[in-house]
Amino acid sequence: MIDLVKQIFGAGRKSVIQSATVDDFIALSEIHGESFPRQWSDGEFEALLAQGNYFCLVARVSRNSNEKLAGFVMVKKVIDEAEIISIATRQNARRRGIARQLMDAVIRELNADRIKTLFLEVDARNEPAIRLYKKTGFRETGVREGYYTGSSKDKDIRSAALVMQLDLG
């Protein structure tokens, strides 16, 4: 699959983007739980990847000899289209360029596979993610009203999902 090395400057940190392994599933579940109201279990990650048309890239950040999973992106491919199913970074790793590195790695991977179009859905309230997607070249193609529910304490609050598309080739 993919094994790219990227340098994040400052504080001696290095980020490596690579394919997820079975050993990553628990950490993937933890990261997902930090980012979304409903946490996916490690078994859900395993089941998705077992289907064959899904792949997951992870960002490992190391400092000195200590390495930690900082984020991931899960993608589904069907014929010549793909969809980002989920992308998340640990709360303490946000605003460090990791999500952008993951997005760039996915785009390279999909271009190599001759995928023509990449889709995603994002909560209309998630302004940092929307900015990232627009900087990456995505454009809004639709809205799904009332698609997302709030957190456990805000279950009655619903927000729209923006459907976004990136033409790859």
Side-chain angles (χ1 to χ4, degrees):
M1 222 345 120
I2 198 165
D3 193 13
L4 303 169
V5 177
K6 293 263 184 176
Q7 188 79 12
I8 297 178
F9 297 102
R13 295 178 187 195
K14 186 169 56 171
S15 176
V16 178
I17 307 296
Q18 58 191 190
S19 297
T21 68
V22 173
D23 294 335
D24 296 325
F25 294 160
I26 292 172
L28 293 172
S29 175
E30 291 169 358
I31 294 168
H32 195 273
E34 287 181 15
S35 302
F36 301 103
R38 191 187 84 69
Q39 180 175 355
W40 292 354
S41 71
D42 56 326
E44 287 174 289
F45 280 96
E46 183 177 14
L48 287 172
L49 291 172
Q51 293 181 32
N53 61 331
Y54 286 82
F55 70 94
C56 184
L57 300 179
V58 296
R60 297 182 198 287
V61 174
S62 60
R63 185 173 182 166
N64 305 326
S65 62
N66 190 10
E67 185 176 80
K68 187 170 186 176
L69 205 63
F72 74 90
V73 59
M74 175 74 74
V75 180
K76 179 181 181 179
K77 295 189 294 187
V78 178
I79 307 172
D80 64 350
E81 294 182 348
E83 179 182 1
I84 292 178
I85 303 301
S86 189
I87 182 170
T89 56
R90 288 195 187 272
Q91 288 180 358
N92 64 0
R94 292 183 184 154
R95 299 201 182 283
R96 295 191 179 148
I98 292 170
R100 179 62 190 247
Q101 289 180 36
L102 288 164
M103 292 295 294
D104 291 345
V106 163
I107 291 167
R108 282 192 298 276
E109 181 78 16
L110 295 174
N111 277 322
D113 289 344
R114 299 179 195 237
I115 299 296
K116 293 180 181 175
T117 310
L118 177 59
F119 295 94
L120 62 81
E121 292 172 349
V122 59
D123 190 320
R125 297 175 298 184
N126 190 343
E127 292 177 19
I130 294 167
R131 278 193 304 275
L132 169 65
Y133 303 143
K134 286 183 177 180
K135 285 181 187 175
T136 309
F138 280 84
R139 62 186 165 81
E140 187 179 325
T141 58
V143 178
R144 295 182 181 178
E145 294 296 338
Y147 185 80
Y148 290 108
T149 58
S151 65
S152 57
K153 62 183 176 200
D154 299 323
K155 286 184 180 179
D156 295 334
I157 298 174
R158 299 189 70 81
S159 62
L162 303 180
V163 180
M164 301 185 82
Q165 176 180 331
L166 175 65
D167 296 320
L168 299 172

